Amino acid sequence: MSDRDALLAFLDKAQTQWPEWVLAEVFVPVPQREQARAWLALRGEWADAAWAGVDPVPGAAKLGWWQEELQGWARNAYRHPLGQVLQKQPVDWATLAQALPALAASRVQQGDLGNALRGLEPVAQALAATAAGLFAAPLPAEAQDVAVTLLGERALRMPPSGVQGALGAAGLLALPRFTDGSRVERIHAALLRRRLQRRRSGRDGASSRIAALLAAWRAARG
């Protein structure tokens, strides 16, 4: 398999998980689209490692590997195919690497929204700064908005019975929506919010084409 084929395999995996993005990315500038897909694929890899599955050990090991990989990116080296698109971008990969353990630690957080947000603050700040650098966008006013999207990713990857109250779909939907920062992050947060709405009503999976387009359009406007 060529390097390009390996990259496309990861981009296709992310597209399978988020088929809405094919529609939503029409609101992303064309030069940023592959980079946006790679960034969201990277975020998806970390979310799966942090919160998917019954046994936390493999995911924690994978996040440890990603810490080493990001440290390599900071030194202009990469092993993972997504590095073909992302590694050379002018962002602080080393700081993001240092923040990744907060994702693994959040797996066992229950009930208390304030504690959950504070626990994710280091990685939320690093993700916000990285996305701003990748997409030449301003930082969001509050890194807490990014932390809320992480809690949404966590909720969707765990059984509905395992994440309830303030950290479940209904609790997270009661919080304000993500309205600043990069357009890519805003659109992703809007699609995530649509999935949380479906989870709250007893359904899972992708939104309809019309719902996804409408959510993406609103998010792109800010």
Side-chain angles (χ1 to χ4, degrees):
M1 178 182 292
S2 70
D3 289 347
R4 181 66 183 175
D5 288 340
L7 169 63
L8 292 176
F10 277 95
L11 298 183
D12 288 346
K13 176 185 174 183
Q15 182 175 318
T16 298
Q17 293 177 326
W18 287 92
E20 306 100 308
W21 189 259
V22 176
L23 303 170
E25 73 174 1
V26 69
F27 301 108
V28 175
V30 173
Q32 293 183 352
R33 288 182 186 175
E34 184 175 64
Q35 191 165 289
R37 287 189 178 196
W39 174 238
L40 296 178
L42 183 62
R43 296 242 340 226
E45 289 293 305
W46 296 343
D48 285 343
W51 304 305
V54 176
D55 184 357
V57 174
K62 187 173 182 180
L63 287 173
W65 184 92
W66 270 110
Q67 275 192 281
E68 295 180 0
E69 178 69 358
L70 291 183
Q71 290 163 357
W73 289 14
R75 299 189 300 270
N76 298 317
Y78 69 85
R79 295 169 293 177
H80 197 280
L82 292 173
Q84 295 175 50
V85 178
L86 297 172
Q87 181 271 317
K88 292 184 179 180
Q89 303 306 316
V91 299
D92 188 353
W93 296 116
T95 295
L96 185 53
Q98 293 170 1
L100 279 187
L103 289 181
S106 71
R107 184 182 181 95
V108 297
Q109 179 68 47
Q110 294 293 334
D112 189 318
L113 177 62
N115 283 340
L117 292 173
R118 283 189 291 273
L120 286 168
E121 184 176 359
V123 71
Q125 290 179 341
L127 287 170
T130 303
L134 287 174
F135 304 111
L139 283 167
E142 296 288 343
Q144 176 174 306
D145 290 340
V146 180
V148 170
T149 67
L150 292 172
L151 290 175
E153 294 270 15
R154 176 180 180 267
L156 291 178
R157 281 169 170 77
M158 302 182 79
S161 60
V163 186
Q164 297 179 345
L167 299 181
L172 295 175
L173 287 168
L175 300 174
R177 67 186 183 93
F178 196 155
T179 58
D180 59 1
S182 77
R183 181 177 293 188
V184 171
E185 291 285 292
R186 296 198 311 268
I187 293 173
H188 171 65
L191 297 180
L192 177 65
R193 192 174 180 87
R194 284 291 309 163
R195 288 207 179 188
L196 289 172
Q197 290 168 343
R198 289 175 60 80
R199 167 65 66 92
R200 182 178 59 183
S201 63
R203 297 172 294 169
D204 275 324
S207 303
S208 69
R209 294 173 61 90
I210 293 176
L213 276 171
L214 183 58
W217 173 69
R218 287 174 174 166
R221 294 177 65 195

